Amino acid sequence: MSRSSIQRIVGDALASRLLSDGGCADRPGGRFRVDATAWGILALRRTGAKSDLLERLRARLIQEQRADGRVCMDKRHPEVHWPTALAILAWQGSPTSQSAQNQAIRFLLDTTGVHYRRRQDSPFGHDTLLKGWGWVGGTHSWVEPTAITIAALQASGYGGHNRVREAVLMLLDRQLPHGGWNYGNTLVYGQELRPMPESTGVALAALAAHVTQDDVAQSLEYLQAVVEGLQTPLALGWSLLGLAAWNRFPPQGENLIERCLSSQSRYGEYDTAALCLLLMAAVERGIVARPLPS
């Protein structure tokens, strides 16, 4: 399958999820979702969507922003603010969204997960003091929200900020001894946990602008070894994005995406984030941390 075919398939699917209020649903006939709207913007930019459509979607995201800059999954739950980083990426390159983007950046720079000094008898192997970002306010920092936030801040010109530098150290500390990442633990009671391809992919994508290949060599080897067997969109999409960030996009990558998309005939249509990940992997080849044109 060619990139243009993937663009057409995903573009048609996204068109069926656009809402009259300017947002995007998670599935056809669904309701507005913040994360689906942000992912939709990121993907539609890569399909050459018209700027007026992108601006309507961005404006809908701005409506969801709270006074302190956060963008939450649901207005009733201000603690679930992990989509703020996605919104920053979605607003990238839009002059009309710059104020909202700057507010969101300030919020993330002033926000961190809950951290504490590790006790001598702690069952955990990672450094619990290194700060990143969590999925939900008042919880520990984890790999995926930290990686996406690094990418968003890097794209916005804050790659050298102290918060980003510490978050990079946090990701390196959470890398498993034999390569790869999972949600964020390394050893528990002395036992090494197993890596997860999606967590490894998002971490590699975020770290590409900050560390050397030697720092992540074992993780690249792990992902290259498992990518051909991945058939779910989340795992495959992030894995391809992570490999592409290090110029390791597999020669058969587009065929893997085709196989994954064809599985919708059996399992039903994928959610918006999953479709957008696959499109971004095919078209942009995974460099999510660089500024993109509007």
Side-chain angles (χ1 to χ4, degrees), residues 111-116 127-133 140-142 146 150 162-171 174:
T111 303
T112 182
V114 173
H115 291 270
Y116 48 88
D127 187 340
T128 52
L129 279 177
L130 287 172
K131 296 176 182 177
W133 290 271
H140 199 42
S141 296
W142 299 110
T146 295
I150 289 173
N162 288 338
R163 284 300 317 279
V164 174
R165 291 198 190 102
E166 183 171 5
V168 167
L169 293 176
M170 191 213 94
L171 287 187
R174 304 289 184 96

Side-chain angles (χ1 to χ4, degrees), residues 35 39 43 86 106 134-135 150 202 213 220-221 225 232:
D35 57 338
W39 280 115
L86 287 180
R106 285 195 295 271
W135 292 111
I150 289 173
V202 68
Q213 188 165 287
L220 286 167
E221 290 175 7
T232 60

